Amino acid sequence: EALISVGPNAAKEKIEDAVTSNLQDWGRRYPHAGYGLRFSHWLKTRNPKPYNSYGNGSAMRVSSAGWLYDSLQKTEYVAELTASVSHNHAEGIKGAKCTAAVIYLGRNGYSKEYIERYVKDKYGYDLSESLDEMRIRHKHVESCMDSLPKALRSFLDGQSIEDTVRNAVSLGGDT
């Protein structure tokens, strides 16, 4: 909603202001939706500032950036802006950029093999663990570093949308 409202050529500050305003508007409408403590506080703050989070919320909310822009570079740039208003830790930004990039590449017909190489090469996520190995060691951790590789492996191994969702749900937590 925020990105659509400002349009594809909006300036950095306009995007950040729209994302902040939109997140606060929706977050205040649904205050008990299971946000982390620091994000819950951020939602209520009059003039919110980023709080160095590397939580996976930055990756959870970025999907529209993967759909709205006509280049991978612009997609990753806007993804960083959507994250940085709250999740300005390098890992929080990386998680948002990676998620948006995967969506962009997928919607533009890139193979899963290409996407996996891109994620490994550009973002350094270790995707070598199988879903079975992940299930054995799984604990509920809300960081991008833990949950994003699980979500990516669920997608890469999935044979359909339903299979991908089943894979992710089988891992538990915020995957």
Side-chain angles (χ1 to χ4, degrees), residues 58-78:
S58 61
M60 287 185 196
R61 67 177 187 231
V62 75
S63 61
S64 61
W67 286 98
L68 293 174
Y69 300 97
D70 59 2
S71 75
L72 182 57
Q73 180 180 4
K74 179 76 174 199
T75 296
E76 290 173 320
Y77 171 72
V78 173

Side-chain angles (χ1 to χ4, degrees), residues 143-159:
S143 72
C144 282
M145 299 84 79
D146 184 76
S147 60
L148 200 54
K150 293 174 182 174
L152 291 166
R153 178 53 48 210
S154 296
F155 159 68
L156 293 168
D157 289 358
Q159 301 302 308

Side-chain angles (χ1 to χ4, degrees), residues 86-103:
S86 57
H87 292 61
N88 62 330
H89 187 283
E91 291 292 338
I93 291 170
K94 180 173 93 170
K97 289 173 69 173
C98 179
T99 300
V102 167
I103 293 167

